[in-house]
Amino acid sequence: MYWEKDKETMSRNDLKALQLVRIRESIEKAAASHFYGRLFSELGINAGTITSLDDIKKIPFTTKDDLREHWPYGFCAVPKEELVRMHSSSGTTGRATVIFHTQKDINEWTNLVARSMYMTGVRRGDVFQNMMTYGLFTGGLGFHYGGERIGVLVIPAGAGNSKRQIQLMRDFETTVIHIIPSYALHLIAVFEELGLSPRNDTKLTIAFLGAEPHSEKTSQKIEELYGISAFNSYGLSEMNGPGVAFECPWKKGMHIWEDAFYIEVIDPDTMEPVPEGGEGELVLTTLTREGMPLLRYRTKDLTRIISEPCGCGRSHRLIERIKGRTDDMLILKGVNIFPIQVEKKLMEIPGVGTHFVIILEREGFNDLMVVRVEVEREFFSGDLKALEKLRRTIIEELKSDILITPKVELVEPNSLPRTEGKAIRVIDNRKDRL
Ligand code: ADP
Ligand code: ZN
């Protein structure tokens, strides 16, 4: 049941003591980098500054902009000859940031991914199809190595080429997949086109869903349509990639591996810690990385810590499903909206298909939100009255949650553009916005 029982079930006190030692070590390592070296000498910070976990507040936050400004090698803490791998972020919100690893870093990361996969029930004998982009993106190689570490048969399928994905699944009797949730929904249509169903015509049992925010409803829809158990996988390239936090079979949240990451949750406006259990921005410190240690890195991802211990016996705390990035927040007519709220509502409405996009327009002095929604095939060929009724239902449901009245346009299944990577949920056409 456990990949490393002693580490996964370590008492909270031991875990905290370990974190303190590791934070101090990370400061020592980080001091060798250009960025932290200068910062620490300016502020007089060294390992001795930290005598309790709370002292971490004495270290300033590190941001994505810092990484961009000191691109490419400004955060490297070891000589270049010790580095063995580079990865980068997807560049969703601007210039992609780069991360460098030593061999030891790669080993530690691989172990965290293996620990996560094992936790969900993956074992030798499984066939694991990794449907994420290989290359600079971390979801490919990160899971690939994790799978091999457990000893499963890994199919490095990569992203896209949907028909071939299905063929691979069937030919080699894939049991476990790693897939972007919006792509998992899209793939259903391709199965249908081939006259197949993922539930009846594959041997799938487990899916790892990651790389983009998705609601519980979406996860459930995927579970139903594929006949599998889905697990939420959270990570970011700055913290290696996948293997930061992962759902366990109890599905009460994602265990964040606290022997590898120190976690804080802050209010993104005041930058002060939120009260225990409150929602805020996740701030992470690497505890074992040597090639590129990062201290108090602001992820911009919003979540909360779940205080109750998990029934599975692991002592590493749970975080809630990521709501989105602070950058994803839309402000319309003074109301804050996250795309995941729209997704959640849509997925609850029967007749709604698998894809949608939010388009923001400026109409005179007002902002207008258009939600373009794909509907299920049976619905689309049905009568106009039913379609109009569905459209009205969607407007009402969305209005009740996000408090503004969107314009809703229903479109044919499979008609909205797809990406191979993270879904694009918002198109902002408000040219003159401030
Ligand atoms: P980029 O930051 O350019 O998108 P990454 O590939 O490093 O590059 O993506 C990491 C980000 O993806 C996270 O910070 C988070 O916003 C999002 N993400 C990853 N996994 C999940 C998940 N399971 N749920 C929600 N968001 C996720
Ligand atoms: Zn658990």
Side-chain angles (χ1 to χ4, degrees):
M1 173 179 174
Y2 301 108
W3 177 247
E4 299 159 296
K5 185 164 193 269
D6 50 336
K7 290 186 187 160
E8 291 170 56
T9 61
M10 183 183 270
S11 77
R12 292 292 314 163
N13 277 343
D14 288 352
L15 200 46
K16 284 182 190 162
L18 180 70
Q19 288 186 320
L20 183 59
V21 171
R22 290 191 166 171
I23 289 174
R24 296 168 62 134
E25 285 171 0
S26 294
I27 290 176
E28 273 168 7
K29 286 181 205 147
S33 72
H34 176 73
F35 177 83
Y36 288 115
R38 255 189 7 196
L39 184 75
F40 292 169
S41 61
E42 248 169 53
L43 301 175
I45 291 172
N46 55 47
T49 311
I50 311 290
T51 54
S52 72
L53 287 176
D54 219 37
D55 282 341
I56 199 167
K57 292 202 194 82
K58 295 178 182 164
I59 304 171
F61 295 110
T62 300
T63 64
K64 214 170 181 117
D65 284 338
D66 293 327
L67 294 181
R68 287 179 178 140
E69 275 162 34
H70 297 82
W71 186 91
Y73 289 115
F75 277 84
C76 279
V78 297
K80 221 189 252 175
E81 52 268 30
E82 286 181 37
L83 299 173
V84 300
R85 179 101 68 85
M86 168 190 147
H87 274 289
S88 87
S89 66
S90 313
T92 311
T93 57
R95 185 191 208 173
T97 51
V98 284
I99 303 293
F100 299 96
H101 300 278
T102 64
Q103 187 59 55
K104 180 169 166 284
D105 292 338
I106 294 290
N107 294 346
E108 301 265 357
W109 174 23
T110 299
N111 187 58
L112 291 178
V113 178
R115 185 196 281 178
S116 307
M117 293 174 80
Y118 195 87
M119 173 169 74
T120 68
V122 174
R123 295 294 181 271
R124 291 176 82 95
D126 271 312
V127 178
F128 170 54
Q129 188 165 330
N130 192 12
M131 299 161 73
M132 292 277 176
T133 308
Y134 275 66
L136 289 171
F137 178 60
T138 55
L141 288 176
F143 262 90
H144 184 100
Y145 277 62
E148 286 189 353
R149 176 71 60 90
I150 296 181
V152 303
L153 171 57
V154 183
I155 305 180
N161 208 340
S162 305
K163 287 189 178 144
R164 196 185 58 165
Q165 297 283 5
I166 295 173
Q167 177 102 39
L168 286 171
M169 266 179 214
R170 287 168 48 79
D171 287 350
F172 304 102
E173 305 194 325
T174 302
T175 52
V176 181
I177 53 173
H178 176 211
I179 188 166
I180 295 185
S182 52
Y183 186 69
L185 290 174
H186 164 64
L187 204 61
I188 305 277
V190 186
F191 269 103
E192 277 172 11
E193 227 177 90
L194 298 170
L196 298 169
S197 102
R199 177 180 266 279
N200 301 326
D201 301 305
T202 70
K203 295 262 189 309
L204 295 178
T205 56
I206 288 177
F208 304 127
L209 305 180
E212 65 183 12
H214 55 288
S215 66
E216 180 118 27
K217 273 278 160 201
T218 292
S219 174
Q220 283 165 0
K221 195 161 185 165
I222 293 169
E223 288 191 322
E224 267 161 43
L225 293 168
Y226 281 79
I228 45 123
S229 184
F231 295 89
N232 196 352
S233 157
Y234 168 74
L236 59 162
S237 56
E238 292 85 353
M239 296 290 131
N240 303 338
V244 175
F246 221 93
E247 224 169 3
C248 78
W250 290 65
K251 301 205 175 166
K252 293 278 189 278
M254 296 183 281
H255 287 287
I256 184 156
W257 300 124
E258 294 184 83
D259 54 341
F261 305 100
Y262 180 75
I263 54 180
E264 297 169 81
V265 179
I266 62 162
D267 177 330
D269 296 325
T270 64
M271 314 240 260
E272 289 298 319
V274 297
E276 175 84 16
E279 182 181 288
E281 178 182 340
L282 189 62
V283 172
L284 296 171
T285 296
T286 61
L287 294 178
T288 60
R289 213 156 62 184
E290 54 180 30
M292 194 167 152
L294 290 181
L295 305 169
R296 305 194 83 203
Y297 180 70
R298 290 187 60 181
T299 66
K300 296 199 170 178
D301 290 324
L302 294 171
T303 185
R304 69 177 87 237
I305 292 175
I306 298 168
S307 337
E308 295 85 64
C310 185
C312 76
R314 289 178 181 81
S315 51
H316 303 243
R317 280 177 295 176
L318 296 169
I319 57 166
E320 203 173 74
R321 180 177 293 282
I322 307 287
K323 184 174 175 190
R325 308 179 200 236
T326 47
D327 301 328
D328 292 342
M329 191 174 78
L330 311 170
I331 306 177
L332 258 113
K333 300 180 181 168
V335 182
N336 300 343
I337 304 163
F338 281 90
I340 199 172
Q341 288 174 272
V342 174
E343 184 205 278
K344 185 163 174 266
K345 271 287 162 201
L346 289 177
M347 290 301 152
E348 283 169 1
I349 305 171
V352 165
T354 53
H355 204 42
F356 73 95
V357 62
I358 299 169
I359 302 149
L360 303 177
E361 303 279 1
R362 173 138 261 183
E363 222 184 35
F365 291 109
N366 280 325
D367 287 335
L368 180 69
M369 178 177 178
V370 182
V371 186
R372 210 164 274 165
V373 184
E374 287 186 6
V375 297
E376 280 176 357
R377 194 161 299 282
E378 310 86 81
F379 241 91
F380 210 78
S381 41
D383 69 303
L384 281 176
K385 261 195 215 137
L387 269 181
E388 180 55 20
K389 192 166 164 239
L390 176 61
R391 202 177 69 83
R392 289 195 176 281
T393 309
I394 295 174
I395 294 175
E396 286 310 314
E397 286 291 325
L398 287 178
K399 193 176 152 194
S400 71
D401 191 53
I402 61 179
L403 307 175
I404 64 163
T405 311
K407 190 171 161 198
V408 170
E409 297 172 1
L410 301 183
V411 297
E412 247 183 284
N414 242 336
S415 62
L416 294 174
R418 269 26 186 208
T419 55
E420 270 187 11
K422 304 174 188 233
I424 295 166
R425 291 298 189 204
V426 180
I427 299 169
D428 196 341
N429 292 329
R430 298 173 297 175
K431 293 269 179 301
D432 54 342
R433 68 182 192 277
L434 293 174

